[in-house]
Amino acid sequence: MGKCQIESIGQKGMKMNWKIYIAAHKAVHDSMYENDPEFNTENYIILNVGSSVKMENEDKYSHLNQRSLNHYKELGKQWAESEGIYNIWRSKIYKSLDFVGFLHYDKELKLIKKDLFGRQRTNITERIQKYLQGKTRAHISFETHDIVKDYQQKILADITKPNVLAGDGLNCYDYILGDYNTFFQTNYLIDDLFEKKKINLCSCFLIDIAGFEKMMGFFNWVVLSGKLDSFDTEHENRLQGGLAERYFGVFLAFEYDECKDLSLIHHYNCGIK
């Protein structure tokens, strides 16, 4: 893996600083990063969000345990990656950066979309650097979905149907949109979201610090309300995490007019049971 930090030059020759925190819980897998020639231990930090103090293979990488962060707050496994994102925000460890991002441990730094010759592209770090160059505001999605298709999954946020993941009832996007309008004093309709066509899911994104703080102010309001617990009281569906990624996705869809799609291959747990 590369050891040097690649620097991008922004407006007026200023160095652009960015980090991506990779949420992991059991082990760090070399195969997720070894094919990116510019991968380095400055821009990528392994974030231990699991119960173990030490993860397998972590010493080869820059790493930190979320429990060591200032103002750490345990939300629970049902919140999935959003717990780590929440604690990075609470710690303010990102304050010296221009951009901050998050990934899953089972996301390989390899684009899903192949080039014109059918080759898979692994120069992810280089692509990030080039896109951020000269920008003070940016949104990169590492997992992009069709918003209408995701809506059609009928994932619920229906107080009358606790512990039911999907089916007929109040669609989670209608519920989230209501919260978005309440918090930001807007009047968006679901068709306004559909017009965006794509949505950034799985809590895998990179954005500027101002956008991150605005988004997390919204998310903190949701967390402190305790409202999501009523939809998954038994925590079997881990719906809190599923809803959290869609809260992030809705915010990002309305906040940014432009999104760089760098959707990465997802290996789904790297074979770990």
Side-chain angles (χ1 to χ4, degrees):
M1 72 188 71
K3 295 298 183 182
C4 61
Q5 180 177 11
I6 308 299
E7 297 178 355
S8 60
I9 306 300
Q11 294 179 344
K12 299 182 180 180
M14 296 292 290
K15 183 178 71 173
M16 307 303 290
N17 294 318
W18 60 273
K19 290 187 186 296
I20 291 177
Y21 294 92
I22 303 172
H25 65 288
K26 289 184 179 179
V28 187
H29 301 274
D30 295 337
S31 59
M32 298 297 100
Y33 319 111
E34 62 189 7
N35 292 317
D36 183 342
E38 304 294 351
F39 178 86
N40 63 85
T41 56
E42 292 292 329
N43 292 124
Y44 297 92
I45 312 296
I46 307 299
L47 178 64
N48 185 349
V49 297
S51 57
S52 61
V53 175
K54 185 179 178 64
M55 295 183 296
E56 179 184 340
N57 206 32
E58 70 173 18
D59 289 338
K60 294 176 65 175
Y61 301 84
S62 294
H63 60 89
L64 64 88
N65 191 310
Q66 70 165 348
R67 296 174 187 273
S68 69
L69 292 169
N70 290 334
H71 310 296
Y72 166 74
K73 181 179 179 66
E74 183 175 3
L75 298 183
K77 291 182 179 180
Q78 66 272 21
W79 288 86
E81 296 78 18
S82 68
E83 182 185 56
I85 297 172
Y86 187 60
N87 280 302
I88 289 293
W89 171 73
R90 284 175 58 86
S91 74
K92 308 304 178 188
I93 196 173
Y94 61 88
K95 281 288 192 177
S96 63
L97 303 175
D98 299 301
F99 300 91
V100 64
F102 299 90
L103 277 178
H104 296 188
Y105 74 99
D106 51 3
K107 281 278 197 179
E108 184 177 0
L109 296 184
K110 182 184 291 184
L111 292 182
I112 292 174
K113 187 177 181 181
K114 298 180 181 180
D115 67 15
L116 296 175
F117 301 99
R119 297 173 299 195
Q120 289 186 304
R121 294 167 288 185
T122 59
N123 59 336
I124 305 305
T125 304
E126 179 186 4
R127 288 172 179 271
I128 292 172
Q129 297 286 5
K130 286 183 176 179
Y131 186 69
L132 295 183
Q133 191 168 5
K135 293 182 172 64
T136 57
R137 179 174 168 82
H139 169 211
I140 297 176
S141 170
F142 299 113
E143 174 124 4
T144 307
H145 288 259
D146 183 298
I147 177 57
V148 174
K149 288 183 179 179
D150 200 58
Y151 185 89
Q152 290 173 343
Q153 288 193 80
K154 295 185 176 181
I155 297 171
L156 296 178
D158 192 329
I159 193 65
T160 68
K161 297 184 177 181
N163 303 311
V164 178
L165 178 61
D168 293 329
L170 183 61
N171 193 290
C172 69
Y173 279 107
D174 293 302
Y175 185 88
I176 293 169
L177 188 58
D179 273 354
Y180 183 96
N181 283 332
T182 297
F183 187 83
F184 291 109
Q185 298 185 347
T186 51
N187 295 290
Y188 288 119
L189 303 174
I190 195 63
D191 286 343
D192 296 318
L193 185 59
F194 291 162
E195 285 181 4
K196 300 293 182 178
K197 299 186 184 302
K198 301 295 181 180
I199 190 165
N200 185 174
L201 295 181
C202 288
S203 303
C204 293
F205 55 82
L206 185 145
I207 56 177
D208 55 277
I209 297 305
F212 179 63
E213 292 189 323
K214 183 177 179 180
M215 181 179 75
M216 295 309 294
F218 174 41
F219 187 64
N220 185 51
W221 175 74
V222 174
V223 171
L224 294 181
S225 74
K227 59 173 61 186
L228 301 193
D229 291 331
S230 63
F231 303 127
D232 188 30
T233 60
E234 299 173 1
H235 300 167
E236 289 186 4
N237 295 318
R238 300 181 72 184
L239 186 58
Q240 290 85 345
L243 294 177
E245 67 174 283
R246 289 170 174 83
Y247 271 93
F248 295 150
V250 168
F251 173 86
L252 294 170
F254 286 125
E255 184 69 15
Y256 293 91
D257 294 328
E258 178 182 305
C259 172
K260 178 68 172 178
D261 184 10
L262 292 182
S263 290
L264 303 176
I265 291 176
H266 198 164
H267 288 273
Y268 295 99
N269 299 320
C270 302
I272 296 176
K273 300 296 184 182

